[in-house]
Amino acid sequence: MKILVKQAKIVDPSSPFNGQTVPVFIENGIIRQIGNDAVSADQVIDLPGLHLSPGWTDLFAQFGDPGLEYKETIESGAAAAAAGGFTDVVVIPNTKPVVHNKAAVEYLVQKSRSLPVNVHPMGAVTREAEGRELAEMYDMRASGAIVFGDGLHPIQSAGLLVKALQYIKAFDGLLIQVPEDRSINPHGLMNEGIVSTRLGLPGKPVLAEELIVARDIELAAYAGSRLHFTGISAGVSLELIRKARAKGNTLISCSVTPAHLFFSDEDLQEYDTNLKVNPPFRTPADRKALQQAITDGTIDTIASHHLPHEYDSKVVEFEYAKSGMTSLETVYAVLRTALPGVSQEKWVELLSVNPAKLIGLPAKTIREGEPASLTLFQPDVQWTVGTASLRSRSRNTPFLGRTLTGKVAGIIHKNQVVLNQA
């Protein structure tokens, strides 16, 4: 298959064409020519204001297979990822059964092999992701588990976590943790503060996140192993990470969700269950701290925290609604809308360069002779999020009906082209 991207601005710090607007010709999944549009092609992509970057990588998404296919299948999840500009997605192990052994990892690897998006399993650290005894991480690693973590269930035991960190150090593994001490008000429904008091909802204090971040920084340093915090929601957590790095701790990395850069607890006034997430949205001051951490380099990557739910899990009283939102399709648009002053180079660093490096994927670059793993996006196009623009099986997003700036045109990956409708 021969594909010609007629004109696109290259956003790739490792490419000699970075910053240039040029045609890109792809043949049989390989970038053959850059700068020459006098070629015959089976498909021509010609869109206004088009930008081209190495394919994006998401570190934290839930695809329901196996066992929760009514929320999301591997196929629908991959379609949502492609629509959002992602060529690689790490899927969390919280399925039925839990991905905690080599058979479960191999199942995901084989089932996703032909899809246009690479689906990378996250192996559970503990059996059944229950936080009691370690799973067989070495076997899972050999079968294709790219990182480890208990996904939606933060590891509560310090002793167990340090053993896991020591174990994965043998193969330079990465452990991903959502920082939350679940012994502190486990029934909280939103951020503890003035708004939760006014709404009459039990709150989750920032302290629950702060304690785990502080503890796990020390444990990672003790074990000499790599640890990634995902879903950072509070300014105090960022300060702890900054202080650790200032002391020379390079083992710690962190990510934030686009939604936490966009919303605060004040947006929950209408009890919209699509805004019920974990970690919860914190105060406007916390949101500002997260936004600042994007520009100052404290935050290493963006993670979608794509958690699709069927209708009945969200259209209930706030207390009974499941936490999470479907988000892969809207990641870039939410980032671009929340922080319009951030450069495209920074977004590509956070969405492509850094996450791929963290999990050990081969470096992607836009050069002649390299495999075409590309994300196509239009930073200045405005669009309204509708059900027709969602490829996920679920619709639990607070962005339905909102007009956002920044549109993903699609991906070119594994010799396949997936384009969104105009």
Side-chain angles (χ1 to χ4, degrees):
M1 186 166 65
K2 298 178 180 179
I3 306 153
L4 176 64
V5 180
K6 191 77 174 173
Q7 288 289 324
K9 184 174 182 179
I10 308 298
V11 188
D12 175 10
S14 65
S15 170
F17 297 92
N18 186 35
Q20 298 181 36
T21 300
V22 290
V24 178
F25 177 63
I26 298 148
E27 184 179 21
N28 298 328
I30 303 295
I31 300 171
R32 295 297 182 193
Q33 295 184 48
I34 300 176
N36 177 22
D37 61 359
V39 291
S40 62
D42 303 313
Q43 183 174 359
V44 177
I45 300 170
D46 188 8
L47 296 169
L50 189 64
H51 286 51
L52 202 62
S53 80
W56 299 347
T57 298
D58 183 45
L59 295 183
F60 199 93
Q62 183 165 37
F63 294 175
D65 194 350
L68 303 171
E69 291 88 351
Y70 57 94
K71 294 179 185 285
E72 192 84 281
T73 64
I74 290 180
E75 292 80 8
S76 66
F86 294 95
T87 58
D88 295 82
V89 177
V90 175
V91 290
I92 61 177
N94 310 105
T95 48
K96 291 184 178 179
V98 170
V99 180
H100 67 165
N101 56 35
K102 62 182 292 185
V105 170
E106 288 169 355
Y107 168 79
L108 289 174
V109 170
Q110 293 299 326
K111 189 163 186 181
S112 62
R113 197 175 291 280
S114 63
L115 297 173
V117 172
N118 291 328
V119 176
H120 304 284
M122 177 190 295
V125 172
T126 66
R127 295 182 185 276
E128 304 294 344
E130 290 178 342
R132 293 175 183 168
E133 59 177 307
L134 291 181
E136 296 171 355
M137 289 185 281
Y138 191 86
D139 285 350
M140 285 190 282
R141 175 75 172 193
S143 299
I146 200 163
V147 294
F148 295 91
D150 278 355
L152 303 175
H153 305 301
I155 299 166
Q156 300 297 291
S157 165
L160 196 65
L161 180 60
V162 81
K163 283 179 185 173
L165 287 167
Q166 290 169 330
Y167 190 95
I168 64 171
K169 185 182 177 183
F171 48 80
D172 193 31
L174 178 69
L175 195 150
I176 295 181
Q177 171 95 309
V178 177
E180 180 191 7
D181 186 328
R182 293 203 161 170
S183 67
I184 298 178
N185 205 358
H187 304 296
L189 302 177
M190 63 174 293
N191 179 56
E192 182 182 83
I194 295 170
V195 179
S196 66
T197 303
R198 191 162 63 234
L199 297 180
L201 295 173
K204 287 188 177 185
V206 168
L207 181 66
E209 177 172 311
E210 179 186 357
L211 287 174
I212 294 295
V213 171
R215 181 198 77 172
D216 290 1
I217 286 172
E218 297 300 323
L219 295 180
Y222 174 79
S225 192
R226 297 191 300 136
L227 177 68
H228 181 84
F229 295 114
T230 187
I232 290 289
S233 67
V236 65
S237 301
L238 295 169
E239 281 305 311
L240 289 168
I241 292 166
R242 287 190 187 103
K243 287 176 182 176
R245 288 176 177 168
K247 293 178 181 176
N249 187 339
T250 59
L251 300 168
I252 300 297
S253 56
C254 66
S255 55
V256 66
T257 81
H260 283 83
L261 296 168
F262 194 96
F263 295 111
S264 73
D265 59 357
E266 293 184 351
D267 292 298
L268 274 74
Q269 307 281 0
E270 303 299 321
Y271 299 92
D272 181 358
T273 56
N274 285 323
L275 292 172
K276 185 180 180 183
V277 295
N278 189 54
F281 299 124
R282 304 293 182 184
T283 65
D286 284 308
R287 177 179 59 189
K288 188 174 181 180
L290 293 175
Q291 292 175 345
Q292 177 61 37
I294 289 287
T295 55
D296 70 19
T298 304
I299 289 171
D300 300 281
T301 68
I302 301 295
S304 73
H305 282 229
H306 175 79
L307 296 173
H309 289 299
E310 75 286 4
Y311 182 88
D312 291 344
S313 285
K314 281 294 188 179
V315 187
V316 291
E317 294 90 342
F318 198 90
E319 178 184 356
Y320 302 112
K322 299 284 187 183
S323 291
M325 65 173 71
T326 180
S327 55
L328 276 168
E329 298 102 319
T330 56
V331 166
Y332 175 69
V334 172
L335 295 172
R336 180 86 174 116
T337 305
L339 290 163
V342 173
S343 69
Q344 302 313 307
E345 289 76 11
K346 185 65 177 179
W347 291 134
V348 169
E349 178 189 328
L350 292 167
L351 290 166
S352 176
V353 180
N354 289 355
K357 192 183 298 181
L358 263 177
I359 63 176
L361 294 180
K364 304 169 189 172
T365 185
I366 303 175
R367 294 171 181 259
E368 292 178 353
E370 291 288 331
S373 177
L374 306 169
T375 298
L376 300 85
F377 58 105
Q378 298 163 284
D380 299 322
V381 170
Q382 290 192 328
W383 61 292
T384 301
V385 182
T387 53
S389 56
L390 299 179
R391 298 288 175 270
S392 171
R393 293 197 71 174
S394 299
R395 300 288 180 264
N396 56 306
T397 170
F399 294 104
L400 272 178
R402 287 181 185 256
T403 298
L404 303 173
T405 301
K407 192 172 195 303
V408 171
I411 62 168
I412 301 173
H413 186 56
K414 292 167 74 171
N415 200 23
Q416 299 181 57
V417 181
V418 182
L419 295 178
N420 292 325
Q421 297 172 347

